[in-house]
Amino acid sequence: MKPKVLIADDEKLIADTLALILNQGGFDARAVYTCQKALDIAPSFRPDILISDVLMDINGVDAAIQLRALLPDLRVFLLSGQTATAEIISKSKAQNMQFEVMVKPVHPQELLRKLHDAAIAMRSVA
């Protein structure tokens, strides 16, 4: 079964491009353009991995924390092109959340490698 990836980014081109790359790379990826939409569809889609921009309608860290409450094994990758997100990220660390941060732009090969590694790690735990 393909690992499910939910991509939340308010830049539609980025979200759609990432979904296309991941779907071609062996994942079942869906793109949404707000964290609220990610929160809405997560209960039915049940993603294994979340890739979220940090600065959006609801910040990506807060959305990831809420999604982790629903899906405790969810792997989270936060994307940011902003240096101002350090404070938001430190908030997640204070709550003992293990989120990986990637700086935009992320090279597609690097992203695929990280997600394949995450998928392998998830299978070895299951």
Side-chain angles (χ1 to χ4, degrees), residues 65 87-98:
I65 290 168
E87 185 177 319
I88 296 170
I89 301 296
S90 67
K91 175 183 174 184
S92 73
K93 290 181 182 173
Q95 296 182 24
N96 289 328
M97 295 289 169
Q98 299 298 319

Side-chain angles (χ1 to χ4, degrees), residues 5-119:
V5 181
L6 182 57
I7 302 158
D9 198 314
D10 55 353
E11 294 182 52
K12 292 181 180 185
L13 181 61
I14 290 174
D16 291 341
T17 301
L18 288 176
L20 178 67
I21 290 167
L22 294 177
N23 282 320
Q24 291 176 348
F27 294 89
D28 177 5
R30 293 189 190 173
V32 295
Y33 313 119
T34 66
C35 283
Q36 184 58 56
K37 185 66 175 173
L39 291 167
D40 292 345
I41 72 164
S44 60
F45 181 53
R46 304 205 54 85
D48 301 299
I49 299 170
L50 170 69
I51 300 172
S52 179
D53 190 10
V54 175
L55 299 176
M56 288 196 294
D57 57 321
I58 301 169
N59 81 59
V61 172
D62 288 342
I65 290 168
Q66 290 180 51
L67 287 171
R68 273 269 180 85
L70 174 69
L71 304 164
D73 295 328
L74 181 71
R75 293 287 304 261
V76 176
F77 293 84
L78 298 174
L79 296 176
S80 179
Q82 307 287 327
T83 56
T85 59
E87 185 177 319
I88 296 170
I89 301 296
S90 67
K91 175 183 174 184
S92 73
K93 290 181 182 173
Q95 296 182 24
N96 289 328
M97 295 289 169
Q98 299 298 319
F99 301 150
E100 184 164 344
V101 179
M102 295 184 288
V103 179
K104 285 182 181 179
V106 176
H107 191 280
Q109 292 298 337
E110 178 187 353
L111 180 63
L112 282 170
R113 182 186 55 76
K114 286 180 182 279
L115 295 185
H116 279 293
D117 289 350

